[in-house]
Amino acid sequence: MARIFISHSKHDKEEAVRLKTWLADRAFGNSFIDTDIPPGEDWEKIIYRWLEGAQAVLLVLTEEWHESKWCFAELILARALGKDIIPLFVAPTRPLEVGKDLQYIDLQPNRQAGLERLEQRLSEIARQSADGFELAKGLSPFPGLAAFEEDRAAVFFGREPDLHRMIERLRVRHTLGGARLILLLGASGSGKSSLLRAGLIPRLKRDHRNWIALPAFRPGRSPRAQLVECLLAGVGDVGFDRIAQWRGALEGDAPAAALAEVARTLRLRHTAPDASILLPIDQMEELLTLADEAERTAFLTLLSHALDEALPFLAAATLRSDYLAGLQSAPALTVDFDSQPLDPIPLDRIAALVRGPARVARLRVEDGLIDALTRDAGRPDALPLVAVALSELYARFGGGGGVLTLAGYESLGERGAGLSPLDAVVRDRAEAALSALPLKTEDDHALRDAFVPWLVRLQEDSGLFVRQAAALNSFPAPARAQLERLVEARLLVRRGGGSPDDPAMVEATHEALFRVWPRLAGWLNEERDFLIGKRRIEQAFQDWRRLPEDRKDGGLLTGAILDSACDWLTTHPTRFGQEEGEFIGRSDAMARAEAARKQRYLTAATRTANGLVFNLVQKFRHSGMPSSITREILQHARDLLDQLATDHQDDLSLQRTRSVTLNELAQSLADFGDPQGAMKAAKDSLAIMRRLVEKEPGDTGFQRDLSVSLDKVADIQRRNDPDGARALYEESLGIRRRLVEKEPGDTEFQRDLSISLNKVADIQQHYNPSGARDLYQESLGIVRRLAEKKPDNTGLQRDLSISLDRIADIQESDDPDGTRALYEESLEIRRRLAEREPDNTEFQTDVVVSLHRIAQAGVQPEPHLSEALAILTRLNARGLLSSDQRGWISILENALREARGQSDPPDSPTDPSEGR
């Protein structure tokens, strides 16, 4: 029987009484008008309570009703509470300004017809209301976080507008046709399951003639099997063989005939030949989170067959909004569907959520309690916490028709510690449940690994933690014991487990648990990055499984997500299923193989570049290879290394090879007469080596290469900027002294030091001859010792000849005889080197320099200059001289003329003895 509130002006009392009498005659005796208020009572409070508890509100519309501010206030409150409002025109007046969407009934032209329409509307509302359902004895009116089931239809309040819209949609489909699948869309925890199970199904069952509502089911991991069980649940005792036949057909490729037989049997058994048959599907997102692709396809195929227009089946399914796109893209779903959004219950309906069930359970509710609950909730998504608090409040104080008081509610919380009763009651339930177990550290880790990731998933778009179900037997024993305790505390829910094919599943009762249980909230915040990554790995795994075998390698994990997956699999192996672990392992093996292949390619390419630089250039530059070819080879090597470096910025060995190549290219460009190009290549080389030394300051090889790069830039710079060159030479000398101190037995470091001493002395001799002489002497001492130890080392022998020249150059005016002796010793060394390697251009030009120096010292100038000129002419004919060296020819020709007593003005660009 529906509770009906009649809103009327005091001037229309007679019409209100007449209407109340008519309602009573039609068995709608539970109606209210203001004359029902006893004298002396608080009439405002009584009117509010009646409005709050009413299922329907009738508006007696007249001009006087429009003029009454109290009538308008009743309309606004009724709309806020989500009541069914029926405006009645009983006299000529204007429509409502607020509520233009309402369906009016006009009693003026034909009062009897209008009242018949009103009776139909009120009968429908009565069928849809909670009134008329019974709450079983001993069953709490407040189930806490658990969803309302059909046995709590009597205490399901607060969703009347949404419920009525859903029923109306189905009624239209029943009578007029249309989309045969209706999705109830909402966020996780918004109350979709309760609306389906405690709201829709029991109310449709009241309408025996038009509806057969089958048991609600969840898809789980075997959704087609669940749908088959739902279809066969209501057929009754038709015999085992017939059930087996239907089951086989429903699970086969041609289920249409079996579906038609099942529908006829259901209608016959319910004596409802024209009834629609409702398939209630709860949490349809499990198709996408638990079922594999084959199961998902099988389920949607069978469902599409069942929803064919030739059959009487309709389906109502709850679905998390974030999975709508996934369902839309499922090719096996071939029927149209409609959707109804479900928003969170507004806070102003807390009164209905409390007073409605309390009235059914014969409880009284203090007004202050409603205000405190509304204030503490603060926002609609906190209403699940209100449900927990009411459950606890009823358990402590509500038995036997008691009173739900504000004081009892406040006793649940710890406001001094900043915890409202809503927060404290969830925390206390969880901790109390686990306190009964001797919790060890490893048990705590096991519980954490149970929630993360099996019972919790992170929505990437919203950043919210949402629940998901997992098989209880998949958890290790320590975790199972703790999960069972949380089930007993009704913070987790357990379902299934009746057979091996139906394993026990466990999941959080509500997402609110993830926010207000401090221990769990802390875990989840720490694991946020993992949950994001785990979701991406799961999606990649599902995508990979759908690929044909010949394309699977392209669907494996790569890059950062693979690195994270491997780390997580190592540290938390229980957080991944066996197949997921194998997928990660296969991805890792493929990545390692690809990395090895790339490394082989990189090594081969680097070796190629090294071969171009060291074998072709360094070995053959002075052995007859023209400078233009040298330059071209080095440019190719540089291009190759630059291309490799683009993809291997962190490969230090490759970067080092680039630096060496740039140095060689700089030398080649300098020889070719391109000082600007040479300087750029040398500076690029120096920049690379500075970065490498910064990354690896303890690497002596990098330190040595840096000193070489410093020398190369200084060599090119010294002619135009001797001060800048000196600074670079001195920096290089400092590096090489430190290397010799660190490794005094290293021949290369000793040799490098000797070269640096010479280079610094070359600059110093112009302003500090004495200091330069000391450096030259030190260099000569080093290189003599090295050359004596390794007489067959051509490099050391050449260095010795250069040091001899340096000493001779600086002491020429002070000791002519000693100078000539040093020049002759140097020439002797260089002749031996040139004879040993006659195709080495550098050794040949060194002989030219020595011959020129001896000639300048006055020792048989004509034969020495003639020999030098002959060597240069021969090399030039082969194209082996640099631009500077080609200028030496004219210098020697002029010097030879002077030696022969001929006059010809000397015009030498660069003396062959300079810079050697």
Side-chain angles (χ1 to χ4, degrees):
M1 182 183 298
R3 290 164 55 87
I4 302 169
F5 182 94
I6 304 174
S7 172
H8 65 93
S9 162
K10 64 181 180 180
H11 301 289
D12 302 317
K13 185 174 297 185
E14 181 178 342
E15 178 62 43
V17 171
R18 183 183 177 191
L19 190 59
K20 180 178 174 67
T21 302
W22 177 86
L23 289 169
D25 291 342
R26 298 300 187 278
F28 297 109
N30 196 9
S31 60
F32 172 85
I33 58 177
D34 58 9
T35 56
D36 295 329
I37 300 174
E41 293 290 331
D42 186 339
W43 62 273
E44 286 189 63
K45 184 177 292 185
I46 292 175
I47 286 177
Y48 175 80
R49 286 183 178 174
W50 251 98
L51 263 175
E52 185 182 58
Q55 277 77 52
V57 176
L58 306 183
L59 309 181
V60 182
L61 291 184
T62 64
E63 280 300 312
E64 288 75 17
W65 187 96
H66 282 292
E67 297 299 325
S68 171
K69 65 178 182 180
W70 297 111
C71 290
F72 182 75
E74 289 165 356
L75 169 61
I76 296 302
L77 180 57
R79 286 183 71 84
L81 293 173
K83 303 302 180 182
D84 272 299
I85 301 172
I86 306 175
L88 303 175
F89 282 117
V90 298
T93 188
R94 61 187 185 275
L96 294 169
E97 291 296 327
V98 177
K100 294 181 180 180
D101 57 319
L102 300 175
Q103 296 182 14
Y104 292 72
I105 295 178
D106 193 347
L107 301 183
Q108 296 174 91
N110 187 336
R111 185 179 181 87
Q112 183 59 36
L115 289 175
E116 288 178 2
R117 286 183 58 204
L118 177 60
E119 183 176 3
Q120 291 174 358
R121 289 277 301 278
L122 291 175
S123 296
E124 182 67 21
I125 291 171
R127 281 196 297 270
Q128 297 174 10
S129 71
D131 285 355
F133 292 107
E134 296 292 333
L135 182 68
K137 187 175 181 180
L139 196 63
S140 170
F142 302 108
L145 288 176
F148 282 75
E149 298 291 342
E150 192 172 343
D151 58 1
R152 283 194 169 88
V155 290
F156 181 67
F157 288 87
R159 281 293 188 187
E160 288 81 3
D162 304 293
L163 180 57
H164 296 166
R165 282 196 295 273
M166 192 70 177
I167 290 176
E168 182 61 19
R169 283 177 184 270
L170 289 169
R171 186 187 67 79
V172 170
R173 301 301 184 274
H174 171 70
T175 56
L176 302 178
R180 305 178 72 78
L181 170 61
I182 298 179
L183 301 177
L184 188 60
L185 297 175
S188 184
S190 59
K192 303 182 297 297
S193 297
S194 296
L195 182 71
L196 178 71
R197 293 173 180 270
L200 183 64
I201 292 175
R203 283 154 183 81
L204 291 182
K205 284 183 176 180
R206 281 179 164 184
D207 190 358
H208 307 287
R209 190 176 70 174
N210 294 314
W211 290 98
I212 300 170
L214 297 179
F217 70 94
R218 290 172 60 168
R221 299 184 184 277
S222 305
R224 182 175 64 179
Q226 297 296 329
L227 176 55
V228 170
E229 291 304 319
C230 171
L231 287 164
L232 299 179
V235 297
D237 186 9
V238 296
F240 177 82
D241 291 342
R242 195 174 183 189
I243 290 290
Q245 180 184 3
W246 282 346
R247 189 185 304 279
L250 293 173
E251 294 178 351
D253 296 330
L259 286 167
E261 290 184 26
V262 169
R264 283 194 297 271
T265 303
L266 287 169
R267 282 175 158 181
L268 181 63
R269 185 168 184 269
H270 288 80
T271 61
D274 298 318
S276 291
I277 304 171
L278 183 71
L279 300 173
I281 308 169
D282 193 15
Q283 300 190 37
M284 198 170 180
E285 64 271 6
E286 289 184 348
L287 280 176
L288 303 170
T289 61
L290 295 180
D292 61 27
E293 185 175 8
E295 281 286 349
R296 179 162 57 249
T297 298
F299 170 84
L300 291 175
T301 300
L302 178 58
L303 180 64
S304 296
H305 279 292
L307 300 183
D308 187 275
E309 291 183 356
L311 296 172
F313 295 104
L314 295 173
T318 68
L319 180 72
R320 284 215 301 256
S321 303
D322 51 314
Y323 282 103
L324 178 59
L327 186 64
Q328 288 173 324
S329 63
L333 182 62
T334 59
V335 296
D336 294 334
F337 60 83
D338 194 4
S339 62
Q340 175 176 316
L342 188 66
D343 296 324
I345 297 179
L347 286 177
D348 55 16
R349 293 190 196 167
I350 284 183
L353 296 176
V354 179
R355 295 190 187 280
R359 184 174 64 249
V360 172
R362 294 179 174 80
L363 298 169
R364 289 193 301 112
V365 180
E366 283 188 357
D367 291 335
L369 174 59
I370 304 296
D371 295 337
L373 286 168
T374 304
R375 182 178 61 254
D376 288 343
R379 59 186 189 184
D381 64 355
L383 289 179
L385 305 183
V386 173
V388 178
L390 289 171
S391 174
E392 190 70 21
L393 195 60
Y394 176 79
R396 295 192 189 186
F397 308 109
V403 181
L404 303 182
T405 66
L406 175 61
Y409 170 72
E410 291 294 342
S411 70
L412 302 179
E414 299 177 16
R415 297 211 182 262
L419 287 176
S420 74
L422 302 186
D423 298 333
V425 70
V426 176
R427 177 207 62 185
D428 292 347
R429 278 198 182 189
E431 296 299 342
L434 298 180
S435 65
L437 297 173
L439 195 61
K440 304 174 184 177
T441 301
E442 55 269 26
D443 296 339
D444 201 47
H445 291 325
L447 183 61
R448 178 173 180 152
D449 284 348
F451 276 101
V452 180
W454 302 113
L455 298 176
V456 181
R457 185 177 66 81
L458 185 68
Q459 284 182 324
E460 289 192 57
D461 54 347
S462 66
L464 299 177
F465 297 109
V466 295
R467 57 185 172 154
Q468 61 183 7
L472 186 60
N473 62 9
S474 66
F475 299 112
R480 285 201 302 272
Q482 296 175 82
L483 294 174
E484 292 282 15
R485 296 290 298 178
L486 293 175
V487 169
E488 293 173 11
R490 297 189 177 180
L491 298 175
L492 301 183
V493 61
R494 174 178 176 167
R495 56 185 174 81
S499 68
D501 296 331
D502 181 27
M505 304 294 287
V506 63
E507 68 179 330
T509 310
H510 199 280
E511 278 81 3
L513 182 66
F514 305 151
R515 296 199 313 271
V516 300
W517 183 14
R519 188 195 310 193
L520 180 55
W523 290 344
L524 296 183
N525 285 328
E526 291 171 6
E527 299 284 4
R528 182 176 291 272
D529 289 343
F530 168 76
L531 288 169
I532 293 174
K534 180 64 162 61
R535 178 62 181 161
R536 293 175 181 172
I537 293 168
E538 290 171 351
Q539 185 60 56
F541 174 57
Q542 294 301 328
D543 292 343
W544 176 79
R545 292 182 67 179
R546 288 192 287 269
L547 291 173
E549 192 61 37
D550 60 346
R551 293 179 55 199
K552 281 192 179 297
D553 286 350
L556 295 170
L557 297 174
T558 60
I561 189 64
L562 174 58
D563 293 340
S564 297
C566 291
D567 290 343
W568 290 329
L569 184 61
T570 301
T571 54
H572 301 288
T574 61
R575 294 184 178 183
F576 296 88
Q578 180 179 348
E579 290 185 337
E580 271 186 338
E582 292 172 354
F583 169 64
I584 294 171
R586 180 168 172 175
S587 298
D588 185 42
M590 175 62 71
R592 290 178 184 275
E594 179 64 14
R597 186 191 68 79
K598 288 182 177 180
Q599 187 58 48
R600 288 194 300 271
Y601 164 72
L602 176 62
T603 301
T606 304
R607 284 175 179 169
T608 300
N610 286 339
L612 291 173
V613 175
F614 297 106
N615 293 334
L616 289 178
V617 175
Q618 287 191 342
K619 287 186 178 179
F620 300 116
R621 169 186 279 141
H622 306 296
S623 301
M625 182 181 291
S627 297
S628 59
I629 297 178
T630 300
R631 179 187 181 189
E632 185 176 349
I633 292 172
L634 287 167
Q635 190 59 56
H636 282 309
R638 178 184 183 177
D639 292 343
L640 173 61
L641 291 167
D642 287 346
Q643 184 178 359
L644 293 173
T646 300
D647 298 325
H648 302 278
Q649 293 287 342
D650 296 330
D651 191 303
L652 303 187
S653 176
L654 176 61
Q655 297 297 333
R656 183 182 189 183
T657 298
R658 285 183 69 210
S659 175
V660 173
T661 301
L662 287 165
N663 267 339
E664 292 296 329
L665 180 61
Q667 183 62 56
S668 178
L669 290 169
D671 293 345
F672 200 74
D674 181 5
Q676 290 183 342
M679 179 59 78
K680 183 180 185 309
K683 286 186 174 180
D684 288 346
S685 171
L686 177 59
I688 292 172
M689 289 316 307
R690 287 199 187 278
R691 288 195 297 270
L692 293 180
V693 168
E694 185 177 348
K695 288 184 177 180
E696 299 286 345
D699 190 304
T700 56
F702 289 171
Q703 293 282 350
R704 180 179 185 271
D705 289 346
L706 174 59
S707 72
V708 172
S709 290
L710 289 165
D711 280 356
K712 184 62 65 179
V713 174
D715 289 345
I716 300 170
Q717 186 174 329
R718 63 183 291 181
R719 185 175 300 173
N720 298 319
D721 181 14
D723 291 337
R726 183 183 67 189
L728 296 173
Y729 282 144
E730 289 176 347
E731 182 182 353
S732 174
L733 176 60
I735 293 171
R736 289 171 172 177
R737 285 196 185 280
R738 289 193 295 273
L739 291 176
V740 168
E741 289 174 4
K742 189 172 184 180
E743 298 184 25
D746 190 292
T747 301
E748 283 296 323
F749 291 169
Q750 293 281 351
R751 183 186 179 191
D752 290 342
L753 177 57
S754 171
I755 293 171
S756 271
L757 289 165
N758 282 339
K759 289 181 180 292
V760 174
D762 288 345
I763 298 288
Q764 267 193 21
Q765 64 176 322
H766 300 295
Y767 62 89
N768 183 12
S770 175
R773 184 182 292 109
D774 292 340
L775 295 175
Y776 284 143
Q777 292 288 358
E778 183 181 356
S779 172
L780 179 60
I782 293 171
V783 77
R784 275 198 187 280
R785 290 193 299 273
L786 295 177
E788 288 172 0
K789 288 182 180 179
K790 297 184 177 181
D792 293 331
N793 187 306
T794 58
L796 291 174
Q797 294 296 327
R798 181 174 185 269
D799 290 347
L800 175 57
S801 73
I802 292 172
S803 288
L804 290 167
D805 280 356
R806 294 293 197 277
I807 297 293
D809 289 343
I810 204 167
Q811 72 178 18
E812 182 175 1
S813 60
D814 299 331
D815 183 8
D817 294 336
T819 299
R820 285 193 295 271
L822 292 172
Y823 283 150
E824 289 173 352
E825 182 182 357
S826 173
L827 176 59
E828 184 181 352
I829 294 171
R830 289 172 173 177
R831 285 191 188 282
R832 287 198 302 270
L833 294 176
E835 289 172 1
R836 184 173 179 180
E837 296 183 19
D839 292 330
N840 189 308
T841 304
E842 189 172 46
F843 290 171
Q844 296 290 337
T845 55
D846 284 346
V847 171
V848 170
V849 172
S850 284
L851 291 168
H852 183 241
R853 280 195 166 108
I854 290 176
Q856 286 180 318
V859 179
Q860 300 178 339
E862 184 176 348
H864 286 120
L865 290 173
S866 296
E867 183 183 355
L869 184 59
I871 295 172
L872 284 180
T873 302
R874 187 171 61 251
L875 294 175
N876 189 45
R878 296 169 60 191
L880 300 178
L881 296 181
S882 69
S883 58
D884 282 347
Q885 289 169 342
R886 287 194 296 271
W888 294 355
I889 295 175
S890 61
I891 294 173
L892 291 177
E893 288 175 341
N894 292 335
L896 186 56
R897 289 190 187 98
E898 289 180 4
R900 291 171 176 171
Q902 302 171 353
S903 61
D904 196 349
D907 186 15
S908 172
T910 305
D911 192 298
S913 299
E914 291 183 6
R916 302 295 296 171

